[in-house]
Amino acid sequence: MGSLSFDNKSKIVREALRACRRYFLFAAAFSLAINLLYLASPLYMLQIYDRVVTSGSETTLVMLTLVLLAAFLALAGLDLVRAAILTRASARLDRLLSAKILAASVETPSLGASQSQPIRDFDTFRQVITGT
């Protein structure tokens, strides 16, 4: 593999992130839907004060509560799917970069730091990029 310049290293990382781009776009779409569903609770309370308190209708209260429960179930399901997508992205990043990082950390002499530091740094980077 030889000595890699900074430009080559950043190019390798950019290519790996580009390979995972589809995962990140899907995760962003799910995040948007999840954030919209977080508005269900305040909207529920507004509807309670606007419709149920003024009319005293129990049917309206039950229906609004069922809609809120459905929104919360959808939120939980979307969050699970987003977590699975990000887990796959993490595994793909690991497949694409871990061997190169291991080889580079073995080839370069350590200058006061441990040779496993680049591997730990990559693990932290991967967790941040693919975390919730």
Side-chain angles (χ1 to χ4, degrees), residues 21-112:
R21 181 183 196 191
R22 188 173 180 195
Y23 293 114
F24 295 137
L25 290 175
F26 278 117
F30 279 99
S31 294
L32 175 66
I34 288 167
N35 285 328
L36 287 174
L37 284 171
Y38 275 127
L39 293 174
S41 184
L43 290 174
Y44 172 78
M45 293 307 297
L46 286 172
Q47 293 301 313
I48 293 293
Y49 290 125
D50 186 42
R51 297 179 189 274
V52 177
V53 172
T54 58
S55 71
S57 172
E58 291 179 12
T59 306
T60 304
L61 176 63
V62 169
M63 292 308 291
L64 285 173
T65 304
L66 289 175
V67 168
L68 178 69
L69 290 175
F72 282 160
L73 287 173
L75 188 141
L78 289 174
D79 198 32
L80 286 173
V81 172
R82 180 183 63 178
I85 290 170
L86 290 173
T87 300
R88 287 183 180 182
S90 175
R92 184 152 189 204
L93 271 177
D94 196 41
R95 274 193 318 270
L96 292 172
L97 292 176
S98 62
K100 294 174 185 175
I101 291 173
L102 180 63
S105 67
V106 169
E107 288 177 1
T108 59
S110 63
L111 301 172

